Amino acid sequence: MAQQQKKEPDQSQLLKVRREKLAQLMEEGKNPFEIMKYDVSHHSQEVKDSFDELEEKSVSIAGRLMSKRVMGKASFCHVQDLQGTIQSYVARDSLGEEEYKAFKKLDIGDIVGVVGKVFKTKTGEISIHAEQVTLLSKSLQILPEKFHGLTNTDLRYRQRYVDLIMNPDVKDTFIKRSKIISCIRRYLDSQGFMEVETPMLVSNAGGAAARPFETHFNALDEDLKLRISLELYLKRLIVGGLERVYEIGRVFRNEGLDTRHNPEFTLMELYQAYTDYHGMMDLTENLYRYVAQEVLGTTTIVYQGIEMDLGKPFERITMVDAVKKYAGVDFDAIHTLEEARAAAKEHHVEYEERHKKGDILSLFFEEFAEEHLIQPTFVMDHPIEISPLTKKKPENPEYTERFEFFMNGWEMANAYSELNDPIDQRERFKAQEELLAQGDEEANTTDEDFMNALEIGMPPTGGIGFGIDRMCMLMTDSAAIRDVLLFPTMRTVD
């Protein structure tokens, strides 16, 4: 019984020992924090991949000490770098008496550099026979126990730096995210698009239905907002003659947190003159297919066990037809607001007094259709009431040339044939301001400078906004948006 109750070393005592080791190093004139640089010739995976070429040749690696097994005159350790971990064989005869003593005092978590010859152990593990081990930085904290890793979800998000050290899959996710964004840029650049940057602090946060964050600019004694969209500034650039523009950047929406929403997230918007929403569908399909092939090596995505095929032509369906298919309600046969409300009551769809027929159609779609759109699908022709920046369909002005792109039941992108009629746009803004007065905190307000730009003249234009974080979730099989944000928004703790 006494054996079972043997206590682990006290955490505070272990931390004290590490600081004592640092103090001793300082006394000896070996301050590890004064080391300026270290020449790294290879990373761990490069050594393994090029073993035939590197065997018995000297290499230098650097990384974090993740394990250490001391066996008298010889020891083994594992060093972790960007590409993974590699074993090092550390022997007193190779290092010398003093250097080997110093090695034995190293702690798990210390940053070290290792110089030595590449070889293979009797068990077949590619390793480095150390000839020199240098302490590059002292770790004064204790890493989580290696077999269980860092499993506390809240702590993982708060201390992402530890999460990246302890969970290789997490590092792989963010390396993949970086590749996804690089591929998007590469594809758009190849199509003649120009990457631009627009303001984050704005006086009028328009371009989307969302509540903005508000702040105060002391120098001008002026209230400003953090942008909720990239749209209105990018359209100004189309007016200015930059025919194909895009921006990948953070936007900020003062709304809730859940598995698919974070108040600051990465949005990519692009605008192309002289095309329409059909052109945006073609671009979306080609872009998604290209990124998946480049990053994953396949056009088939498997997310949480669900397979989605980007190789086939994406389905295209109108919102009216989607509601008819999944709810059994034909809005082409509904002509008045009263009829729409009656259908909503019959199908237990909750609506507000301010909602018009088009709003109720959208509510039906959200309630009955979205969850079924697993395979890549373009849902087209949204009602005008929910599309204040979109061109009307000439043959049916109750609806607009707009689509949303869905995968896995999620909205992945939102696109329009952009409204370039300044008279119509002013009327749409006016309707939005009426909604604002009725209590809709997500409604837009009139942006007079944007209106001036439209009056200067904007060519026919197609535009689209992509949720980069959701795209990364699907392509990395990540269950929550926080898993693809390096530092997600968290409640402050004392």
Side-chain angles (χ1 to χ4, degrees):
M1 191 71 173
Q3 187 76 23
Q4 291 177 349
Q5 292 180 345
K6 183 179 178 182
K7 289 186 177 180
E8 293 293 321
D10 180 71
Q11 182 98 345
S12 60
Q13 185 60 35
L14 292 174
L15 292 171
K16 182 183 176 187
V17 168
R18 291 195 176 212
R19 291 183 181 271
E20 287 172 350
K21 287 182 181 179
L22 176 62
Q24 186 178 350
L25 287 168
M26 297 287 201
E27 286 176 17
E28 295 169 358
K30 299 175 181 176
N31 181 357
F33 303 126
E34 285 185 348
I35 295 175
M36 297 299 180
K37 60 175 288 190
Y38 187 81
D39 291 326
V40 176
S41 68
H42 294 78
H43 283 85
S44 56
Q45 194 59 45
E46 291 169 345
V47 173
K48 295 173 184 177
D49 291 343
S50 305
F51 174 73
D52 291 342
E53 176 190 332
L54 292 175
E55 187 176 14
E56 291 305 316
K57 292 182 180 174
S58 184
V59 297
S60 64
I61 63 159
R64 191 176 298 276
L65 192 65
M66 296 302 290
S67 73
K68 189 178 68 166
R69 188 157 46 99
V70 177
M71 302 177 297
K73 298 177 182 178
S75 303
F76 285 95
C77 68
H78 281 87
V79 177
Q80 178 175 294
D81 61 16
L82 175 66
Q83 296 181 352
T85 61
I86 191 164
Q87 179 173 264
S88 180
Y89 172 69
V90 185
R92 187 183 66 185
D93 291 348
S94 300
L95 252 63
E97 188 80 39
E98 290 305 311
E99 294 301 315
Y100 189 63
K101 276 185 184 177
F103 167 78
K104 290 198 291 183
K105 290 180 180 177
L106 294 178
D107 290 308
I108 302 303
D110 287 350
I111 308 292
V112 297
V114 178
V115 175
K117 289 190 171 62
V118 178
F119 78 109
K120 196 177 279 187
T121 65
K122 291 177 183 177
T123 59
E125 184 170 354
I126 295 170
S127 306
I128 297 171
H129 190 147
E131 296 166 350
Q132 183 183 9
V133 177
T134 305
L135 175 61
L136 302 175
S137 184
K138 184 70 186 162
S139 174
L140 300 179
Q141 274 289 355
I142 298 168
L143 292 175
E145 195 272 319
K146 67 176 181 178
F147 293 108
H148 299 105
L150 184 62
T151 55
N152 180 301
T153 304
D154 187 74
L155 196 59
R156 282 182 51 224
Y157 296 145
R158 290 185 189 281
Q159 297 185 13
R160 183 67 86 186
Y161 42 92
V162 181
D163 192 24
L164 290 166
I165 294 166
M166 300 307 300
N167 296 318
D169 289 347
V170 172
K171 186 189 289 183
D172 291 343
T173 292
F174 288 105
I175 290 172
K176 202 170 282 183
R177 179 189 171 106
S178 178
K179 289 179 179 176
I180 289 167
I181 294 172
S182 294
C183 281
I184 291 171
R185 286 193 165 101
R186 195 156 59 243
Y187 179 80
L188 293 178
D189 292 348
S190 76
Q191 299 299 306
F193 283 85
M194 171 181 170
E195 185 172 10
V196 297
E197 294 172 308
T198 62
M200 289 190 183
L201 283 171
V202 295
S203 57
N204 188 328
R211 289 177 61 189
F213 287 92
E214 298 181 1
T215 187
H216 186 78
F217 184 22
N218 293 334
L220 295 180
D221 191 24
E222 188 174 313
D223 289 332
L224 293 173
K225 299 176 177 69
L226 290 173
R227 67 185 180 187
I228 60 172
S229 168
L230 313 174
E231 180 166 348
L232 300 185
Y233 280 96
L234 291 177
K235 284 182 176 177
R236 286 167 167 89
L237 300 180
I238 295 292
V239 170
L242 303 181
E243 295 181 0
R244 299 187 182 202
V245 294
Y246 75 96
E247 180 173 8
I248 299 173
R250 283 293 175 105
V251 296
F252 309 86
R253 299 183 181 179
N254 200 347
E255 53 193 25
L257 292 161
D258 62 31
T259 56
R260 282 184 282 159
H261 294 88
N262 194 72
E264 60 173 307
F265 62 97
T266 303
L267 184 65
M268 194 265 288
E269 290 196 32
L270 65 86
Y271 293 84
Q272 179 180 340
Y274 311 114
T275 191
D276 61 4
Y277 76 145
H278 292 291
M280 292 296 101
M281 286 186 226
D282 294 340
L283 184 147
T284 302
E285 195 163 335
N286 292 334
L287 174 62
Y288 258 78
R289 202 169 284 145
Y290 173 81
V291 172
Q293 187 65 54
E294 288 290 302
V295 176
L296 305 177
T298 176
T299 55
T300 300
I301 293 175
V302 180
Y303 180 78
Q304 307 290 293
I306 299 170
E307 194 171 285
M308 288 163 269
D309 189 354
L310 295 167
K312 296 177 182 176
F314 296 3
E315 183 183 354
R316 302 185 181 195
I317 187 171
T318 66
M319 183 177 281
V320 168
D321 285 345
V323 169
K324 187 176 178 180
K325 179 177 180 180
Y326 295 110
V329 177
D330 184 1
F331 268 76
D332 280 340
I334 292 176
H335 302 292
T336 66
L337 175 58
E338 289 69 28
E339 290 172 350
R341 286 175 171 176
K345 288 173 183 174
E346 183 183 346
H347 290 81
H348 308 291
V349 174
E350 294 184 8
Y351 63 88
E352 297 177 26
E353 192 64 30
R354 62 185 171 81
H355 284 150
K356 297 183 172 62
K357 176 189 163 187
D359 297 299
I360 293 173
L361 168 60
S362 178
L363 293 171
F364 264 88
F365 173 75
E366 291 172 7
E367 182 73 27
F368 294 103
E370 277 191 11
E371 63 183 315
H372 298 286
L373 305 177
I374 304 302
Q375 296 303 315
T377 304
F378 295 117
V379 177
M380 308 180 298
D381 303 350
H382 292 48
I384 193 169
E385 290 90 343
I386 62 169
S387 310
L389 298 162
T390 315
K391 275 190 174 181
K392 299 172 186 173
K393 292 183 70 65
E395 71 280 10
N396 190 354
E398 286 188 13
Y399 295 93
T400 61
E401 291 200 346
R402 173 185 174 187
F403 73 80
E404 290 174 299
F405 173 49
F406 282 84
M407 286 179 67
N408 194 49
W410 303 349
E411 179 200 336
M412 305 298 294
N414 184 25
Y416 314 148
S417 294
E418 302 296 335
L419 181 59
N420 63 344
D421 177 346
I423 297 168
D424 188 357
Q425 181 65 81
R426 187 170 289 281
E427 287 300 312
R428 306 274 194 100
F429 274 139
K430 184 178 177 183
Q432 285 285 301
E433 290 191 340
E434 288 172 3
L435 291 175
L436 191 67
Q438 294 170 25
D440 184 353
E441 295 179 326
E442 296 184 349
N444 285 202
T445 57
T446 304
D447 185 327
E448 288 297 344
D449 183 72
F450 175 66
M451 289 306 308
N452 185 62
L454 284 190
E455 289 175 3
I456 295 290
M458 186 172 86
T461 298
I464 189 166
F466 288 88
I468 297 296
D469 305 309
R470 290 186 188 178
M471 186 181 194
C472 291
M473 286 174 68
L474 285 186
M475 292 197 179
T476 61
D477 197 13
S478 298
I481 192 170
R482 291 181 175 191
D483 294 327
V484 296
L485 299 175
L486 279 166
F487 300 101
T489 303
M490 306 286 290
R491 185 186 296 277
T492 303
V493 292
D494 295 331

